[in-house]
Amino acid sequence: MGTEQIPEVLLNSGQKMPLIGMGTSAMPQPPHHHLTSILVDAIKVGYRHFDTAASYGSEESLGQAVAESIERGLIKSRDEVFITSKLWCNCNHHDLVLPALNNTLQKLGMEYVDLYLVHFPLRLKKEAASFEFAKEDIFPSWDMKGTWEAMEECCRLGLAKSIGVSNFSSKKLSQLLQYATIPPAVNQVEMNAVWQQVKLREFCREKGIHVSAWSPLGANGAMWGSLAVVENPLLKEISAAKGKSLAQVALRWLHQQGVSILVKSFNKERMKENLQIFDWELSDDELAKIEQIPQRRGFSGQMFVHHDGIYKSSEELWDDDA
C-alpha cells in the first residue's frame, strides 16, 4: 500500500499529518533490536506517522528504524515520516522542557520532531521517569503556563514543527488557550466506539485543535484495557455485514469522525489490515447505531490521583468531559 492512500490532515500550525499513525508503547517493551525490526516492517507496509514518548522507552528503536529504512531505500529521507514524541511529567517545568526535547532528539538521532506533546497535565518528581512511580512523586501543583511557554520556544527554535497536548480536558485546554501564543495543534486522547469523547471533540473543533485517538480498539492487553470494543455485539454485526474485520469497522468509525488514529499492532498482517479503511465507508444508519453504544472510559488515570497531589479524584483529572 502506498503512502499516497493515507490521507493527511492540515494542522493549525500549517503542517500536514498522516491520519493513521503507529503507536510504539508496549508493556513490556520488546527488546530494542526486535522493536526496530517491527517498525521497519511498519514503514515497509506503508506507515509514515509514528508515535513515541520519553516514557515509552521506544525513541531509540524508532530512530534506528527510520535510519535503517533510509539505508534500505524504503524511504528517501527523514522528511518522509511524521514523528510525534511526548514530554514526560517529570519534565513539566519551564526549565526542563528544552533539555527533555534535546534528549528525545538525541535518542531519535533527529534534528526535529514533527509534533511534541505535553503527555499529561501534571508534574512528577524528576526521578519518576516512567509510568512506574510512587504517589508521593506527584507534585501538588503544576505551572501549565511556564511549561507551555517552553513548548512554544521549542517550536520557535524549529526543534518541534508543531506542539500540542495529550489527555487534556476541555477545561484544561480552555485554561491553556488563555495564555498560549501558539495554540496546541493536537489533543491526543483516549477515544473509541465505547468512549466517543463527543463534548471534547466539539470543543476542539470550535478551537481549531485536531483530535488524535489513542486506544482506538480499547487497548486490550494493557493493564487498564478491556474487550469492550473488540467484543461489542453491534460492531461484530456491522463487521459481518460489511465483510470487514471488527478492528477495521472500529477504525473506520473513528476516521469518519474526523480524528486521526494511533493504532498499535506488532503483527505484520494486522498492520496492513489497519491501513485498509479508506476505500469504503459506514452508512448513516450504521453511524447512528454506533452513537448509541453505552459509554465508559477505559483509562481512569487513577495512578495520577493522590490526596496530596494536584488531583484528589479522577473527576478532577478529567473534569466533566464525557
Side-chain angles (χ1 to χ4, degrees):
M1 161 157 195
T3 53
E4 71 279 355
Q5 293 171 268
I6 301 178
E8 296 178 317
V9 60
L10 182 65
L11 302 174
N12 64 19
S13 59
Q15 303 294 319
K16 288 182 179 177
M17 180 175 81
L19 280 166
I20 287 193
M22 168 69 75
T24 63
S25 166
M27 290 183 187
Q29 193 69 258
H32 171 73
H33 66 280
H34 185 205
L35 182 56
T36 297
S37 173
I38 289 167
L39 296 174
V40 169
D41 281 345
I43 289 172
K44 203 179 291 180
V45 301
Y47 287 88
R48 294 294 181 268
H49 174 182
F50 292 88
D51 181 83
T52 183
S55 59
Y56 294 170
S58 59
E59 290 172 326
E60 288 181 60
S61 297
L62 176 55
Q64 186 60 44
V66 172
E68 200 174 302
S69 296
I70 294 168
E71 281 173 28
R72 290 168 58 176
L74 299 174
I75 51 175
K76 292 189 179 71
S77 71
R78 182 263 178 266
D79 295 348
E80 288 186 28
V81 288
F82 187 102
I83 304 295
T84 298
S85 194
K86 307 180 197 77
L87 175 76
W88 184 234
C89 310
N90 67 341
C91 292
N92 272 355
H93 180 274
H94 182 278
D95 299 342
L96 301 176
V97 176
L98 183 56
L101 177 52
N102 279 326
N103 190 42
T104 279
L105 293 173
Q106 187 179 1
K107 286 182 176 177
L108 287 165
M110 296 177 183
E111 294 180 357
Y112 67 90
V113 290
D114 296 276
L115 178 62
Y116 197 44
L117 306 177
V118 177
H119 207 152
F120 281 94
L122 68 145
R123 188 178 172 199
L124 297 173
K125 291 179 183 173
K126 189 66 180 156
E127 56 271 22
S130 73
F131 280 90
E132 293 179 10
F133 57 86
K135 294 274 191 174
E136 292 70 31
D137 291 336
I138 303 170
F139 273 77
S141 64
W142 171 49
D143 178 15
M144 186 193 293
K145 184 172 186 282
T147 302
W148 192 251
E149 284 172 354
M151 293 286 288
E152 291 178 333
E153 184 61 17
C154 292
C155 200
R156 292 190 188 99
L157 290 169
L159 301 176
K161 302 272 185 171
S162 301
I163 52 175
V165 296
S166 183
N167 305 300
F168 271 52
S169 65
S170 307
K171 183 179 176 182
K172 290 176 180 62
L173 278 173
S174 192
Q175 290 169 348
L176 180 58
L177 290 169
Q178 288 174 18
Y179 40 73
T181 57
I182 300 174
V186 168
N187 186 18
Q188 189 188 110
V189 295
E190 178 185 3
M191 181 182 163
N192 51 55
V194 302
W195 190 243
Q196 298 182 12
Q197 295 276 24
V198 175
K199 180 186 171 185
L200 181 60
R201 279 191 286 135
E202 184 53 40
F203 179 87
C204 289
R205 193 178 299 117
E206 287 171 8
K207 302 298 181 183
I209 300 168
H210 177 75
V211 172
S212 201
W214 60 261
S215 186
L217 301 176
N220 176 32
M223 287 181 292
W224 51 269
S226 80
L227 297 168
V229 175
V230 296
E231 293 292 340
N232 183 272
L234 173 64
L235 296 180
K236 284 183 174 179
E237 183 186 307
I238 295 172
S239 156
K242 288 282 192 204
K244 302 291 179 184
S245 72
L246 186 143
Q248 287 175 320
V249 170
L251 297 175
R252 178 67 203 188
W253 175 80
L254 284 160
H255 178 63
Q256 287 184 232
Q257 306 312 303
V259 304
S260 54
I261 310 163
L262 298 167
V263 295
K264 187 181 67 187
S265 175
F266 294 165
N267 172 291
K268 198 167 181 180
E269 289 312 306
R270 284 199 294 273
M271 279 185 200
K272 290 179 187 173
E273 183 185 285
N274 289 340
L275 290 179
Q276 293 163 359
I277 63 166
F278 298 115
D279 58 354
W280 56 280
E281 62 182 27
L282 296 167
S283 68
D284 290 345
D285 182 52
E286 288 163 338
L287 293 172
K289 285 178 179 174
I290 293 171
E291 278 178 20
Q292 299 307 310
I293 291 175
Q295 296 295 289
R296 186 173 69 86
R297 185 187 293 281
F299 179 69
S300 69
Q302 200 59 38
M303 63 195 296
F304 298 117
V305 173
H306 184 48
H307 57 80
D308 289 330
I310 185 171
Y311 306 118
K312 310 293 190 281
S313 67
S314 55
E315 287 76 19
E316 286 184 8
L317 172 61
W318 304 118
D319 301 309
D320 55 352
D321 285 342

